[in-house]
Amino acid sequence: MPSTRVRPVAKDDVADVVTLVHELAEYEKAPEECHLTGEDLDSALFADRPALFGHVAELDGVVVGFALWFLNFSTWRGVHGIYLEDLYVRPAYRGHGLGKALLAELARECSLRGYGRLEWWVLDWNTPAIDFYRSVGAVAMDEWTVFRLTGDALTGLATHADGARPAG
């Protein structure tokens, strides 16, 4: 029987997680959009005051999946929550409960810390993931539309900011 484990990401896991992130980008048909490096991830996860957190899933001691997440805040609930940026288990290792174990660990983090919700996005065409998320009780937020600013649009809007500097 294979041995499975979910644990917080360690510095020694960074290269494996970066590889898995790039595999996820390939799966999501956007490999050219993924520019993550080991240095980027190490800096984000292990800064003095990190804003990014992560867990890895192991099968027989080999890292085969991960979850990267950060805190958000619900103004309506008045409490933090977890935003799951990415969850991925290599296709060859699915079916061992590792994806569910990663989500369960994040739900446990929410419960222990008094956070009000765990949320994430999923691509519309990713029906295996959607079915999986529904199987654990997640509810699609179909009435919401995601917006994003990047590149020139982000830079262009930034030029209109006054910096909100105090007068004086």
Side-chain angles (χ1 to χ4, degrees):
M1 180 126 195
S3 168
T4 62
R5 178 169 78 138
V6 169
R7 61 173 174 76
V9 69
K11 275 189 167 278
D12 290 345
D13 301 318
V14 168
D16 289 332
V17 174
V18 169
T19 297
L20 292 168
V21 168
H22 283 270
E23 287 179 21
L24 172 61
E26 184 78 35
Y27 175 78
E28 291 185 348
K29 302 173 183 159
E32 70 285 349
E33 295 179 36
C34 186
H35 306 285
L36 182 70
T37 67
E39 185 178 314
D40 296 334
L41 187 60
D42 188 87
S43 295
L45 287 168
F46 301 107
D48 289 337
R49 297 181 62 195
L52 179 70
F53 307 93
H55 286 77
V56 293
E58 295 179 330
L59 185 65
D60 292 331
V62 177
V63 173
V64 297
F66 75 94
L68 293 175
W69 55 275
F70 52 88
L71 297 181
N72 59 17
F73 187 82
S74 169
T75 55
W76 289 14
R77 291 177 176 246
V79 296
H80 281 290
I82 287 178
Y83 180 81
L84 174 59
E85 177 65 21
D86 286 321
L87 179 127
Y88 179 74
V89 175
R90 283 190 166 135
Y93 300 97
R94 294 177 187 166
H96 294 279
L98 294 167
K100 186 173 184 177
L102 285 163
L103 275 179
E105 183 61 27
L106 298 187
R108 187 178 77 81
E109 292 277 345
C110 287
S111 181
L112 289 173
R113 298 177 187 204
Y115 299 162
R117 62 186 175 204
L118 168 59
E119 59 190 355
W120 59 93
W121 301 344
V122 61
L123 291 166
D124 290 341
W125 57 260
N126 193 347
T127 54
I130 292 167
D131 293 344
F132 165 64
Y133 296 143
R134 286 187 172 138
S135 79
V136 298
V139 177
M141 305 294 292
D142 293 331
E143 67 276 13
W144 290 87
T145 300
V146 176
F147 285 88
R148 176 179 292 163
L149 284 171
T150 60
D152 291 342
L154 179 63
T155 304
L157 183 58
T159 64
H160 295 286
D162 68 5
R165 292 180 201 96

